[in-house]
Amino acid sequence: MPVAIDAIVNEAVASIRSKTDFRPYTGIILGSGLGTLFRQRDWIATIPYADIAHFPQPTVPGHEGTLLLGHIDSHPICALSGRFHYYEGHPMHIVTLPVRVMHALGIQRLIITNAAGGIHPQFQPGNIALIKDHINLFGDNPLRGIHTPSLPQFPSMLNTYPKPYRYAFFQLAKSSNLRVHEGVYVGVSGPSLETAAEIHFFQKIGGDMVGMSTVPEAIVAAQLELPVLGISVITNRCLPNLDDEEKTTHEMVLQVASNTAPQLYTLLRQWLQVDFSKYQLP
Ligand code: HPA
């Protein structure tokens, strides 16, 4: 049965519009352990997911469940503190509902952040890696069975993470003497972590980091023609020959991500100020 997503989006948007008519320009999804990134700010509206039609409550520690609307240095944003994961049991159209809702609120571009395991041997816990592309290994697709007559059924995924967005971020990191990586994000459903053989496979197919989010959201963003800045915080190493000492835990993921949050916040704040209409790649 196709899902009539427009009605669902309209009802969610109506819940938000009953509280504020604020129009954000940039949407931001805060990943595991990064929910506190914007905690201290004065918001125009903070809306608990419980007050938004069709938004479930996040069930994972490290994901709060609040929609934030307001300014960062006068730039109008909308941020999701808490995302919905496929592994929590939500259908894909709910996992990606916030992207459609933020689009309907007026966003013109999307920043997706996540915590990820580093497959590339040089990616260390605490490093930031920009997503230049992704590989969808969820075994599902958020556009499957979704009825949206006004949108392309077969959207191109070739320029999902535009180069100028990444390049500007690199330049900002460089001026702060920070090393930022770039890589291909492998999206898996989880919630079990990877076997050694799976990690080996991800390396072979060109993966640099692995995580359980982002890909569904980026696919819906592509359908909506929202350009994406994708950012992974590497929270653990994910190599096929690691011994038990390095076994990944969710607590470790949250700790490393929240330690990196202040650095990421500084870069994001600067990035939001870049005027991409005048931006030139070298
Ligand atoms: N695997 C999958 N998802 C993750 C990981 C990992 O090692 N670290 C953080 N999210």
Side-chain angles (χ1 to χ4, degrees):
M1 259 279 284
V3 175
I5 193 72
D6 288 348
I8 295 174
V9 172
N10 289 344
E11 284 166 21
V13 170
S15 317
I16 298 164
R17 285 292 176 234
S18 71
K19 298 183 195 309
T20 176
D21 58 4
F22 184 76
R23 271 188 84 79
Y25 185 85
T26 304
I28 308 177
I29 301 175
L30 301 174
S32 296
L34 299 171
T36 54
L37 205 62
F38 299 138
R39 187 168 267 169
Q40 308 299 326
R41 304 202 65 84
D42 301 332
W43 297 102
I44 290 188
T46 57
I47 308 177
Y49 291 174
D51 294 349
I52 306 175
H54 305 288
F55 270 43
Q57 272 310 112
T59 62
V60 199
H63 286 268
E64 287 186 19
T66 320
L67 182 75
L68 312 167
L69 292 144
H71 295 99
I72 292 185
D73 305 322
S74 79
H75 183 88
I77 70 138
C78 169
L80 286 163
S81 179
R83 63 147 56 91
F84 312 130
H85 300 85
Y86 193 61
Y87 65 71
E88 291 173 88
H90 304 301
M92 277 291 186
H93 72 275
I94 294 296
V95 171
T96 53
L97 177 62
V99 178
R100 295 191 190 278
V101 167
M102 289 193 287
H103 175 257
L105 292 177
I107 65 164
Q108 305 288 314
R109 58 186 187 174
L110 180 62
I111 300 173
I112 307 181
T113 65
N114 62 51
I119 300 173
H120 191 294
Q122 282 174 12
F123 291 11
Q124 299 294 332
N127 287 172
I128 292 172
L130 298 184
I131 303 175
K132 70 172 174 197
D133 207 345
H134 74 226
I135 298 174
N136 179 12
L137 291 184
F138 274 78
D140 200 349
N141 190 294
L143 308 184
R144 179 175 175 269
I146 299 294
H147 184 57
T148 44
S150 58
L151 296 172
Q153 190 176 7
F154 306 104
S156 166
M157 295 299 300
L158 288 184
N159 193 25
T160 306
Y161 307 93
K163 202 166 178 182
Y165 280 14
R166 285 180 275 130
Y167 192 80
F169 196 95
F170 276 124
Q171 282 188 317
L172 293 168
K174 205 168 151 196
S175 15
S176 310
N177 278 327
L178 266 175
R179 179 151 177 239
V180 170
H181 302 289
E182 180 176 68
V184 173
Y185 178 94
V186 179
V188 293
S189 70
S192 56
L193 292 162
E194 296 68 39
T195 65
E198 284 164 349
I199 298 166
H200 195 64
F201 168 63
F202 298 162
Q203 281 179 335
K204 287 216 151 179
I205 62 172
D208 297 303
M209 54 259 194
V210 56
M212 304 173 191
S213 67
T214 302
V215 166
E217 295 148 349
I219 291 173
V220 169
Q223 188 193 35
L224 297 167
E225 294 185 19
L226 287 175
V228 178
L229 174 70
I231 305 172
S232 291
V233 173
I234 306 299
T235 52
N236 54 283
R237 297 203 305 154
C238 216
L239 301 175
N241 53 357
L242 288 183
D243 54 29
D244 282 351
E245 296 298 304
E246 291 199 54
K247 232 178 205 169
T248 301
T249 64
H250 189 59
E251 291 68 37
M252 171 174 154
V253 167
L254 293 184
Q255 187 61 50
V256 177
S258 63
N259 289 348
T260 311
Q263 206 178 71
L264 181 57
Y265 177 63
T266 307
L267 291 171
L268 275 181
R269 230 177 119 170
Q270 295 170 14
W271 186 90
L272 287 171
Q273 300 301 320
V274 176
D275 180 355
F276 284 97
S277 69
K278 300 203 180 91
Y279 198 78
Q280 303 243 322
L281 284 172

